[in-house]
Amino acid sequence: MTNPSRQTTPNPWLSIPPEDYETHMSSPGVRQQQFLSRVFHTVLASLRPACVAVPGCATGNGFEHIDASISSSVIGIDVNPVFLGVLYRRFKHRLPGLQLLCGDVSSVVLPAHSVNLVHCALILEYTDPGPVLARIARWLTPGGTCSLVLQLHSPHIATISSTGISSLQRLEPIFHLVEPSDVLKMMRPLGFSVAAETVRTLSSGKSFYQGEYRLVS
Ligand SMILES: C[S@@+](CC[C@H](N)C(=O)[O-])C[C@H]1O[C@@H](n2cnc3c(N)ncnc32)[C@H](O)[C@@H]1O
């Protein structure tokens, strides 16, 4: 398996326009944007984090559910500066504690033990997950939560859905499925225990795993 975080060619995400990305993610045959927004809403409502970090935040899907009176610190992380510009314009007024870090999740620097919730929805598939999860474990406060959404193998369904938006197909070479069972093997030695797990299948036929892992030691 190639390691996308260490690739020498530019990350294909850098060449995806935000309009293409959002049209693709919300298109009737995909509807992942709506699904991911709901997942983030549920996680925020149940955990009420004072500080939340979102690697792979893109243009801020689901950020409308962040209550600034609860989450006084919000850290968005993404490689694509244009995505972050869209997010900033949309949410800077509503979220005074918004901080955006443009860079690779495998190299951005966050203070240790400073984040209550790290929410990673469909980003591990573009990274080398082991080192990324180890970094997340260092960012979290004791008792903090790492929430993950992973795309599951769905027979006969393309991993990158075909929506007629050709730029998204550039992601195919760097996308790789990450098995929840492999994640668990990586999380346990880092001090995490499973707090919740669900699997959802969308009308497109694509299935997703959502897991919450509590940092217990
Ligand atoms: C499928 S989208 C994420 C969806 C989003 N989390 C949501 O809930 O709607 C993947 C995002 O991760 C970003 N990304 C991909 N690889 C990355 C990396 N190595 N470091 C930081 N961001 C990355 C992309 O630019 C893109 O915005």
Side-chain angles (χ1 to χ4, degrees):
M1 182 173 72
T2 55
N3 179 347
S5 308
R6 296 202 188 123
Q7 63 204 351
T8 48
T9 50
N11 188 324
W13 274 104
L14 294 172
S15 70
I16 311 264
E19 305 77 29
D20 283 13
Y21 169 71
E22 292 190 344
T23 304
H24 171 87
M25 291 292 277
S26 60
S27 72
V30 177
R31 296 191 68 79
Q32 281 174 36
Q33 185 168 298
Q34 299 84 336
F35 162 69
L36 292 172
S37 173
R38 284 197 303 276
V39 170
F40 193 29
H41 188 191
T42 304
V43 173
L44 286 167
S46 75
L47 297 173
R48 300 169 64 83
C51 177
V52 54
V54 187
C57 57
T59 53
N61 183 33
F63 275 50
E64 64 275 15
H65 303 303
I66 300 174
D67 182 339
S69 68
I70 296 168
S71 303
S72 52
S73 175
V74 179
I75 303 160
I77 302 165
D78 207 283
V79 275
N80 186 319
V82 186
F83 286 7
L84 291 180
V86 173
L87 190 163
Y88 186 70
R89 284 189 293 282
R90 281 184 186 155
F91 293 102
K92 64 180 172 188
H93 301 297
R94 274 202 56 233
L95 301 174
L98 180 63
Q99 191 190 339
L100 298 179
L101 302 178
C102 186
D104 196 302
V105 64
S106 60
S107 57
V108 293
V109 176
L110 263 69
H113 317 306
S114 61
V115 182
N116 307 102
L117 168 65
V118 178
H119 180 68
C120 292
L122 304 187
I123 177 176
L124 286 189
E125 287 85 348
Y126 302 98
T127 69
D128 185 4
V132 170
L133 293 170
R135 294 173 70 79
I136 289 171
R138 282 196 295 277
W139 297 343
L140 283 169
T141 54
T145 301
C146 176
S147 153
L148 300 177
V149 179
L150 302 171
Q151 184 171 325
L152 295 174
H153 174 67
S154 309
H156 316 302
I157 307 252
T159 47
I160 309 285
S161 304
S162 174
T163 53
I165 299 172
S166 58
S167 60
L168 270 293
Q169 298 307 320
R170 292 176 205 143
L171 302 173
E172 191 77 58
I174 64 161
F175 180 93
H176 57 90
L177 290 171
V178 176
E179 288 292 331
S181 56
D182 291 339
V183 165
L184 186 57
K185 284 184 206 143
M186 296 175 212
M187 295 298 254
R188 282 216 171 105
L190 294 170
F192 286 100
S193 70
V194 181
E197 290 184 300
T198 50
V199 171
R200 296 273 157 72
T201 301
L202 306 188
S203 53
S204 63
K206 263 191 193 176
S207 295
F208 298 89
Y209 163 91
Q210 199 239 329
E212 288 173 28
Y213 299 83
R214 201 88 68 232
L215 190 61
V216 286
S217 58

